[in-house]
Amino acid sequence: MASTSRTPTRRGRGRGRGGRGDGSSSLPPPPSTLPLIIEEFFIVVYEDPLVKKELPKKFADYLDGQEPAKVYLRAADCGPRLWTVEVLFDGQGRMYLDKGWENFAIAHGVDFGCFVHFKYEGDDVLTVKVFDGTMCRKYYYSDDEDNDDESDDDVKPCIHHL
């Protein structure tokens, strides 16, 4: 049986792992130097699900002075309908979903103990997923794909399916 000998490698000196030896690094910059991107967040419904809802301050800060008068909510997996919801800012950096939230909440079964996940899509559009108190997502589909022209005053719920 042939024996193999290993030549020891020199470690501990030189450029380090994957470095080029010129002092530059392939590591990303530290988090404090990266731009803040807040595109997903959630709220937990601890109070009346039909009253205005406060969104996270970090999200309001992310909008950095844009302060839209309204946003458009789109329920994930529930057709193309956009629900218009007025937005309030309190002057102290807090942002609230106001008029129009009640209709959206009724139509999508938002209740006490629900987790409501938002994803900011840009152009004042938020895609929304609702999770019930057991942490399971509520899935919906629209029974009318051509309902874009309906008024938000006509609360037509999406249909929950298992």
Side-chain angles (χ1 to χ4, degrees):
M1 187 165 154
S3 101
T4 60
S5 65
R6 297 185 80 164
T7 307
T9 59
R10 299 180 72 169
R11 296 195 136 206
R13 294 187 63 192
R15 298 175 295 198
R17 185 173 187 187
R20 293 186 294 257
D22 60 1
S24 66
S25 171
S26 61
L27 296 175
S32 63
T33 63
L34 296 173
L36 179 63
I37 299 173
I38 305 294
E39 64 179 25
E40 293 187 73
F41 57 89
F42 69 91
I43 61 173
V44 181
V45 180
Y46 289 121
E47 55 188 35
D48 185 348
L50 305 181
V51 300
K52 70 182 179 184
K53 292 290 163 246
E54 182 177 357
L55 299 183
K57 185 169 180 348
K58 274 190 173 181
F59 179 67
D61 292 343
Y62 171 70
L63 295 178
D64 192 28
Q66 294 175 33
E67 297 188 3
K70 54 186 135 186
V71 294
Y72 304 94
L73 304 182
R74 174 185 295 129
D77 305 323
C78 195
R81 181 172 183 181
L82 294 175
W83 297 72
T84 303
V85 178
E86 291 182 9
V87 177
L88 295 176
F89 289 87
D90 68 359
Q92 297 179 4
R94 289 188 292 263
M95 176 181 182
Y96 299 88
L97 297 177
D98 194 33
K99 185 177 178 194
W101 167 253
E102 179 179 357
N103 289 340
F104 181 87
I106 290 169
H108 297 90
V110 177
D111 204 356
F112 292 98
C114 281
F115 284 66
V116 184
H117 175 270
F118 296 86
K119 181 176 182 184
Y120 184 61
E121 305 289 351
D123 297 325
D124 302 329
V125 175
L126 293 161
T127 298
V128 182
K129 296 177 185 175
V130 179
F131 295 79
D132 65 21
T134 68
M135 306 304 155
C136 292
R137 182 168 164 211
K138 293 183 174 190
Y139 284 91
Y140 298 91
Y141 67 93
S142 176
D143 65 344
D144 182 4
E145 293 296 323
D146 298 323
N147 60 2
D148 285 337
D149 58 348
E150 288 183 25
S151 164
D152 285 341
D153 294 333
D154 302 326
V155 178
K156 184 173 183 181
C158 285
I159 300 168
H160 181 263
H161 66 85
L162 300 173

